[in-house]
Amino acid sequence: MTAYDIIGDIHGHADKLKDLLRSLGYQRVGDGYQHTNRHAVFVGDFVDRGPAIGEVIKIARATVEAGDGFAVMGNHEYNAIAFHTKVPGTSGNSDKWFREHSDKNRKQHQATLEQLSPRELSDAIAWFRTLPVTLELDGIRVVHAAWRDNQIAAIQQSLASRGRFSTDFLAESEQAGSELHAAIEDVLKGPELKLPSGLSITDKAGHIRDTVRVKWYEPPTCQTYRDFHFGSDDVPNVTIDDTMTQGMTGYPTDAPPVFVGHYWLTGTPAPLAPNVACTDYSVAKGGKLVAYRWDGEPVLSADKYRWTS
């Protein structure tokens, strides 16, 4: 059995990535990193926000392509593909993109636009299209935001029939209300619940939202929005109407351990459940770059986390 180091969202922080890999015993080989008896696993979100996005992509890609690591797609990689893919049939002044070039979307992606040349950006997008949405490796699962069996199956079926994040795939995945759109939103961005009328939150990026990400790995019965929220936003302490959570049953306690990123957690890293762990501890906001060292244990433990601040 191979041992794995599952590394959280990097967001262009190459120096912290190199420090973390060295502290875990990895050696630089070419552009990538190698360990004698372990593999690195990246949970996605390589781009946007940080100061060395190109270097992060180079390290992660070289590590994966050398067979010394694995990576799944994050929502920022998916968004980048959609941002840079034209809707067929549009041109000139009427250009349209699968991810709108709005001020909000451009601001989120600005660091990447500024740091990568057109050639580097095109090459990165081509690599992003090859990334799997999920991994199952020697008894563990890895996904950027949420493991949802039926929705993962829907994504895999569409990728197989329409091509890997092709224009046909994006035409459906970016169509609000479609099954594929809901699957991408939940698996890569995290399941959300709508707040009661009149209530909203301001998320860590400063955006006002009337929905909150939820602890998809827990049953929602008798929980408040604050208790069921997944992340570090300030959420109203209001009881959830059971009709809003139909079909949510949590992640089975007997399922393989699953690792996610995405959620901007803070504090001292620890598992979310005996078989669920998050490795995103807000490096893009001055937090930690975190890894979980998995050595075959079926029950995850706080003492297996490592990080660099």
Side-chain angles (χ1 to χ4, degrees):
M1 183 203 71
T2 303
Y4 297 100
D5 296 306
I6 301 93
I7 297 171
D9 305 30
I10 305 165
H11 284 301
H13 288 271
D15 285 347
K16 290 189 176 183
L17 174 59
K18 290 183 286 189
D19 287 346
L20 180 61
L21 286 167
R22 285 193 292 261
S23 75
L24 296 172
Y26 288 78
Q27 301 293 322
R28 190 73 180 251
V29 178
D31 289 328
Y33 280 79
Q34 183 183 79
H35 197 289
T36 54
N37 56 6
R38 306 184 70 87
H39 284 77
V41 183
F42 303 101
V43 301
D45 279 9
F46 304 109
V47 300
D48 301 336
R49 299 194 174 100
I53 291 165
E55 188 175 8
V56 165
I57 294 170
K58 184 180 292 186
I59 291 169
R61 183 173 182 175
T63 302
V64 170
E65 291 182 346
D68 297 314
F70 301 88
V72 295
M73 175 178 290
N75 62 303
H76 282 255
E77 285 72 55
Y78 171 82
N79 287 345
I81 293 170
F83 190 94
H84 294 283
T85 303
K86 287 184 182 180
V87 176
T90 66
S91 61
N93 293 332
S94 61
D95 274 353
K96 291 184 179 179
W97 308 84
F98 281 107
R99 182 167 173 83
E100 183 186 3
H101 287 193
S102 65
D103 289 344
K104 172 179 173 288
N105 292 343
R106 187 176 288 277
K107 181 180 179 182
Q108 184 188 70
H109 195 42
Q110 191 63 37
T112 303
L113 296 173
E114 291 174 354
Q115 292 177 37
L116 301 188
S117 70
R119 182 191 61 77
E120 289 171 332
L121 189 53
S122 176
D123 194 45
I125 296 297
W127 182 57
F128 296 163
R129 292 183 193 273
T130 71
L131 294 174
V133 173
T134 65
L135 287 169
E136 295 192 70
L137 302 165
D138 292 323
I140 62 170
R141 292 170 167 176
V142 184
V143 64
H144 187 66
W147 193 276
R148 313 269 282 191
D149 286 314
N150 291 340
Q151 291 179 313
I152 289 168
I155 293 170
Q156 303 293 18
Q157 182 178 5
S158 187
L159 288 171
S161 62
R162 292 178 169 86
R164 295 203 60 80
F165 302 98
S166 64
T167 55
D168 286 347
F169 180 95
L170 292 170
E172 184 179 356
S173 66
E174 287 298 299
Q175 181 181 341
S178 72
E179 178 186 11
L180 186 59
H181 177 78
I184 287 290
E185 290 291 307
D186 284 0
V187 172
L188 291 184
K189 305 180 183 182
E192 298 188 354
L193 276 183
K194 190 172 180 62
L195 288 164
S197 178
L199 295 179
S200 64
I201 65 167
T202 301
D203 68 16
K204 295 303 177 185
H207 303 134
I208 297 174
R209 299 181 181 274
D210 63 358
T211 61
V212 296
R213 291 173 180 150
V214 297
K215 296 175 181 174
W216 50 271
Y217 53 90
E218 290 184 359
T221 309
C222 300
Q223 296 216 52
T224 67
Y225 281 92
R226 182 174 296 172
D227 292 338
F228 198 41
H229 167 61
F230 192 3
S232 52
D233 298 314
D234 185 15
V235 174
N237 194 27
V238 178
T239 301
I240 300 170
D241 185 333
D242 288 344
T243 62
M244 299 291 292
T245 58
Q246 291 180 358
M248 292 185 177
T249 58
Y251 187 69
T253 58
D254 60 351
V258 60
F259 295 89
V260 300
H262 189 61
Y263 290 101
W264 298 89
L265 300 187
T266 58
T268 303
L272 303 167
N275 60 343
V276 183
C278 179
T279 57
D280 179 20
Y281 278 78
S282 304
V283 68
K285 293 290 186 179
K288 308 173 185 70
L289 183 59
V290 167
Y292 184 98
R293 308 212 84 182
W294 188 76
D295 294 287
E297 66 272 15
V299 177
L300 305 179
S301 173
D303 64 11
K304 301 302 291 291
Y305 278 94
R306 302 290 185 273
W307 60 85
T308 181
S309 298

